[in-house]
Amino acid sequence: MTGHPARRTTGAARTAVVATALTLSCLTGCSGDDSPSGAASKAESAARSAGAEVTGAASSLASRGSGALASATAEVGRKLDDIKGGVDVKDAVRLGKPAADGDRTTVQVTADNSAGSTKSFSVQVDFTDQDGTLRDMVLVTVSDVAAGASGKATARSNRELSGEVRAKVGRAVRY
């Protein structure tokens, strides 16, 4: 029976990825509102929904093993690539120092918008131990950052992380 848990883990990862892909596919227009504000609203809603799906899947996978979590993180990265009109902006995102918040770890995410219009950001935050081993992963949305300004959000781990916890930006996409 040792083969069955791996299949369930892979199925959970696939479910999260499919849900994320379906959500992200709406970025190019799930309704008839073609206005820039309508498109931005749809993109923000899709990113938040995708973040919730991915974060929930990561939490589930984290309880099953670091290999499954790493696989899910790779899938998330591929899905971030699929954001229509998205630009990789990892260098435009900074993380604060991780801190304990009850039984979870949090870190402040700051995204700098160098674009000429208001943009939102989807940021994958990887929580690691002092050796760089991935312990948890969350997807955070920094919404409606004005042109030339910075926006902030808080990334919160899915589970309790013990020992020295570090945070790094896995990916960041501006849209």
Side-chain angles (χ1 to χ4, degrees), residues 12-13 15-21 23-24 43-61 69 72 76 79-80 83 104 121-125 136-143 154-158 175:
T15 299
V17 169
V18 168
T20 301
T23 301
L24 292 176
E44 180 181 344
S45 176
R48 283 186 184 176
S49 180
E53 292 288 335
V54 170
T55 299
S59 178
S60 174
L61 292 172
L69 182 59
V76 169
K79 294 307 167 192
L80 285 171
I83 293 176
R104 305 300 169 114
F121 296 75
S122 286
V123 181
Q124 175 188 329
V125 177
D136 200 0
M137 182 271 307
V138 296
L139 190 62
V140 177
T141 301
V142 183
S143 300
T154 300
R156 181 176 168 85
S157 68
N158 294 302
Y175 53 94

Side-chain angles (χ1 to χ4, degrees), residues 48-124:
R48 283 186 184 176
S49 180
E53 292 288 335
V54 170
T55 299
S59 178
S60 174
L61 292 172
S63 67
R64 295 181 188 155
S66 62
L69 182 59
S71 176
T73 300
E75 291 291 333
V76 169
R78 284 192 286 279
K79 294 307 167 192
L80 285 171
D81 287 338
D82 290 341
I83 293 176
K84 301 294 182 199
V87 177
D88 285 328
V89 290
K90 186 174 177 178
D91 293 338
V93 177
R94 300 181 311 279
L95 301 179
K97 183 177 178 182
D101 182 18
D103 63 345
R104 305 300 169 114
T105 301
T106 61
V107 65
Q108 186 173 55
V109 178
T110 303
D112 300 322
N113 183 9
S114 61
S117 61
T118 298
K119 299 290 182 179
S120 293
F121 296 75
S122 286
V123 181
Q124 175 188 329

Side-chain angles (χ1 to χ4, degrees), residues 1 21 49 57 84 102 132 160 162:
M1 291 250 171
S49 180
K84 301 294 182 199
E160 185 174 356
S162 60

Side-chain angles (χ1 to χ4, degrees), residues 120-136:
S120 293
F121 296 75
S122 286
V123 181
Q124 175 188 329
V125 177
D126 297 336
F127 290 100
T128 66
D129 62 18
Q130 63 273 13
D131 296 326
T133 302
L134 184 65
R135 304 278 310 282
D136 200 0

